[in-house]
Amino acid sequence: MTFLGLIYEQLFVKPTYPTTSCAGQTIIVTGSNVGLGKEAARHFARLGASKLILAVRNTKAGEAAKHDIESTTRCSPEVIEVWPLDLSSYASVKAFADRASELPRLDVLLENAGIAAVKWQVFEGHESTLTVNVISTFYLALLLLPKLKSSAKQFGIKPRLTIVSSAVHAQAKFAEWKEPKIFDALDNESKFDVWERYPLSKLLEVLVVRQIAPGVEGSGVILNILNPGLCHSELARDAGWPLTVMKFFLARTTEVGSRTLVAAAVAGPEAQGKYMHNGKVDESVVSPFVKSEDGKLAAEKVWKELSAILEAIQPGVTSNL
Ligand SMILES: NC(=O)c1ccc[n+]([C@@H]2O[C@H](COP(=O)([O-])OP(=O)(O)OC[C@H]3O[C@@H](n4cnc5c(N)ncnc54)[C@H](OP(=O)(O)O)[C@@H]3O)[C@@H](O)[C@H]2O)c1
């Protein structure tokens, strides 16, 4: 998309206010104590979700979000639960998934939590953005796929597995895809490019979703990925004044941005394996690299390596696909 196109969309395109009922649904939103996740959760509560799980690393902040959502939507206090989930720890991801697997049903797993790290840090042996935005995100997805699939069969529903990505995936150069081992190259601190890393993590999400989508096809689960647009939130709070200025002029409110998350979480079969933009399926804005032959090769390589990482965390987990 051109810069002018971006300005136009940010200022004049408003995703539709969500009205699809979520009555009877059990919905998990990761990273829902603040930002887009919290506003999406507020919509789900208003739309009548029966159980809404705020999956957060800071449960005190999660409880504050629960009370805030309850006071604005007047949903019953039994609807919202706050569960601990820290994507920087595989043990936390596993504990969360084990607990969620005991739920009677699961209609939506909305994987929204993410970071835009401004310095080098290592979680679980990998650079922090890779661990949180990519490895743990897909680890959780694979751990809960069986629950989503069984819910589809048992209740005749179409559960959604929705990943929050970004239009900035198109800005990543991703020269490392040609390296013999992509994740090793990305975990090399001496070559760490702090400005490249967040867009790159969002690109990896897009590549992986496209790679695993055929495996999810036919299971009854709808897997999709979305771009919320530039929105006000806590993300990149330390990224400096250029982003602050850009957000001041162009950013959507958090509520308006969150509509795109809800749109993907209620989308129909047309969204299977697809990229959503402004609340609609729109593959035209997926980056040219992703759609190129090189992009397809890169997706295969990334998934092969990510599968090996996930299998090392938990043998057999990729067979949940
Ligand atoms: N805002 C935008 O302009 C924009 C644009 C495109 C895409 N996105 C994407 O939208 C999603 C939500 O971002 P946002 O803008 O709403 O940012 P945000 O306000 O910073 O919210 C991010 C959420 O993720 C949580 N989180 C961070 N690290 C975590 C971890 N290790 N384990 C569990 N949760 C963790 C945060 O928890 P804490 O409060 O504890 O830090 C917070 O709840 C992200 O995936 C982001 O990449 C945002």
Side-chain angles (χ1 to χ4, degrees):
M1 184 186 302
T2 62
F3 189 60
L4 276 179
L6 173 83
I7 292 175
Y8 175 81
E9 288 209 343
Q10 287 293 132
L11 295 180
F12 302 112
V13 179
K14 223 179 202 187
T16 313
Y17 189 73
T19 53
T20 306
S21 170
C22 295
Q25 295 195 11
T26 297
I27 297 175
I28 295 173
V29 187
T30 70
S32 39
N33 53 298
V34 288
L36 296 171
K38 180 178 166 189
E39 292 314 311
R42 198 188 307 279
H43 281 301
F44 292 131
R46 176 182 57 78
L47 293 165
S50 295
K51 193 185 278 291
L52 180 54
I53 295 163
L54 308 185
V56 298
R57 63 176 165 174
N58 176 347
T59 50
K60 207 169 156 213
E63 289 295 339
K66 168 180 155 76
H67 293 129
D68 177 24
I69 295 170
E70 284 170 352
S71 70
T72 54
T73 61
R74 299 187 188 276
C75 71
S76 150
E78 284 92 60
V79 171
I80 304 180
E81 293 182 17
V82 178
W83 290 16
L85 169 68
D86 185 347
L87 296 172
S88 67
S89 152
Y90 299 149
S92 173
V93 176
K94 178 77 169 68
F96 179 89
D98 285 348
R99 189 176 173 191
S101 297
E102 298 299 317
L103 287 163
R105 65 188 271 171
L106 183 56
D107 297 76
V108 175
L109 171 59
L110 174 51
E111 294 218 66
N112 159 78
I115 54 169
V118 290
K119 64 176 191 310
W120 175 264
Q121 237 186 319
V122 173
F123 298 153
E124 297 283 16
H126 296 279
E127 187 279 320
S128 62
T129 324
L130 296 177
T131 306
V132 172
N133 295 6
V134 184
I135 302 170
S136 286
T137 293
F138 288 102
Y139 183 34
L140 182 62
L142 288 186
L143 287 173
L144 285 178
L145 250 181
K147 185 79 226 173
L148 291 162
K149 287 182 190 177
S150 63
S151 299
K153 280 205 182 76
Q154 201 180 337
F155 298 97
I157 56 173
K158 294 235 170 288
R160 276 71 166 187
L161 169 52
T162 294
I163 312 280
V164 181
S165 181
S166 170
V168 301
H169 79 270
Q171 291 169 18
K173 294 185 211 78
F174 195 26
E176 297 85 353
W177 85 267
K178 288 188 173 160
E179 296 283 338
K181 294 220 163 195
I182 297 170
F183 280 84
D184 281 358
L186 296 175
D187 280 326
N188 182 345
E189 184 178 0
S190 67
K191 300 218 169 125
F192 178 60
D193 177 348
V194 72
W195 300 114
E196 160 91 352
R197 187 50 53 102
Y198 172 73
L200 174 62
S201 72
K202 296 286 138 183
L203 171 61
L204 293 177
E205 291 176 346
V206 174
L207 293 174
V208 173
V209 164
R210 291 172 89 84
Q211 195 60 26
I212 66 175
V216 177
E217 185 99 49
S219 68
V221 178
I222 295 171
L223 164 68
N224 58 22
I225 187 156
L226 72 110
N227 163 41
L230 180 66
C231 309
H232 289 290
S233 75
E234 302 298 318
L235 193 75
R237 60 205 91 171
D238 304 316
W241 66 266
L243 186 65
T244 309
V245 172
M246 199 164 145
K247 279 192 170 180
F248 179 79
F249 287 108
L250 293 180
R252 289 174 168 159
T253 65
T254 320
E255 185 282 310
V256 169
S258 76
R259 297 176 187 183
T260 63
L261 277 63
V262 180
V266 301
E270 75 286 352
Q272 167 56 28
K274 295 287 196 286
Y275 184 88
M276 294 184 67
H277 175 79
N278 291 327
K280 296 187 176 122
V281 172
D282 187 352
E283 291 274 306
S284 73
V285 287
V286 173
S287 81
F289 172 73
V290 170
K291 293 189 267 193
S292 70
E293 285 308 310
D294 276 358
K296 286 178 194 140
L297 288 174
E300 273 171 34
K301 257 181 100 174
V302 166
W303 175 237
K304 196 167 167 220
E305 286 194 30
L306 182 59
S307 305
I309 292 169
L310 295 171
E311 284 292 320
I313 300 168
Q314 188 176 321
V317 73
T318 58
S319 61
N320 289 350
L321 258 180

